[in-house]
Each structure stands twice: as C-alpha cells, then as structure tokens.
Amino acid sequence: EVQLVESGGGSVQPGGSLTLSCEASGFTFRDYGMIWARQAPGKGLEWLAGINGAGNGVSYQDSVRGRFTISRRNAENTLYLQMNSLKTEDTAKYYCARTNLWNRSPPNFDYRGQGTQVDVSS
C-alpha cells in the first residue's frame, strides 16, 4: 500500500522558515518523481515544486523559486521542502504527491498524503 506522510508544518512569523518532510512507503521511492503542492482556504490545489526520481532534476513555480528548495533522500524514502522567507500568502495545507509528471502544473499525481498545515502570520 502506497503511503505518504507529511510532517513539519506549524505556525511561523513572516520571514521565518520551516522544513516539511514526506515519508514514503509501499513503493520503490527512487523510481518516482515527487511534488509538493498546497491548498489555501477557498482555492484549488497549487503545484509548487517537483523533483525527479534521482533527485538531480527540480522545477519550481515562480512564486516560490528562490525561497523554497525541494530535495529528497532516496536511501531514507523521504522528500523535503525547505521554505525560507515565508509570507502570509504561503498559508495553506501542504501536500506531497507521487507523480512522474513532476515538472509541470497543474498537479497531476496518483497518490497524495494527508497534508500538513502551515500558517504564516504576525
């Protein structure tokens, strides 16, 4: 059974940082691209960043490029999203998802985790 479990969300002030993690199980992690996406209240699911299976190809949405960094440790079946310079508009529920269409928007995936909430406010 494919499982994706996000963690690391929380409350942070504008300008702060958080690192999200996504632990994967039930499939050969290195064989699949992965993405991070988010959904703010009242809005649709938004693709943020993607990474290929080997971890040597990444892509970012313009609004997070330079602030967010996607990475993975295949030996630990874990995906990460380092988020710096957070803004109030980054408030959303963040999801990791499995997909080999990792470098394009809108998000297109076959499995997604339950999400972790990120709240950015002063």
Side-chain angles (χ1 to χ4, degrees):
E1 177 190 5
V2 172
Q3 287 194 323
L4 300 169
V5 180
E6 302 93 339
S7 61
S11 297
V12 63
Q13 293 186 338
S17 298
L18 283 174
T19 299
L20 306 184
S21 300
C22 169
E23 294 187 20
S25 61
F27 64 101
T28 304
F29 186 60
R30 65 180 180 272
D31 287 348
Y32 289 87
M34 298 291 294
I35 65 170
W36 285 99
R38 69 186 178 190
Q39 188 164 21
K43 296 189 176 181
L45 191 64
E46 176 186 31
W47 175 87
L48 298 176
I51 187 168
N52 67 357
N56 57 6
V58 295
S59 185
Y60 295 95
Q61 189 209 92
D62 286 347
S63 68
V64 305
R65 185 178 293 112
R67 299 190 299 123
F68 291 9
T69 302
I70 188 172
S71 63
R72 64 192 295 162
R73 290 181 183 169
N74 285 345
E76 298 176 4
N77 290 346
T78 305
L79 177 74
Y80 300 96
L81 186 69
Q82 172 69 43
M83 304 187 295
N84 298 325
S85 302
L86 283 161
K87 304 175 181 180
T88 55
E89 54 262 43
D90 293 319
T91 293
K93 195 162 190 179
Y94 284 69
Y95 300 90
C96 66
R98 187 183 86 166
T99 177
N100 282 328
L101 300 175
W102 53 270
N103 59 349
R104 63 193 66 180
S105 178
N108 188 331
F109 52 87
D110 55 3
Y111 290 94
R112 186 185 79 176
Q114 294 299 307
T116 186
Q117 181 68 34
V118 172
D119 292 308
V120 185
S121 69
S122 54

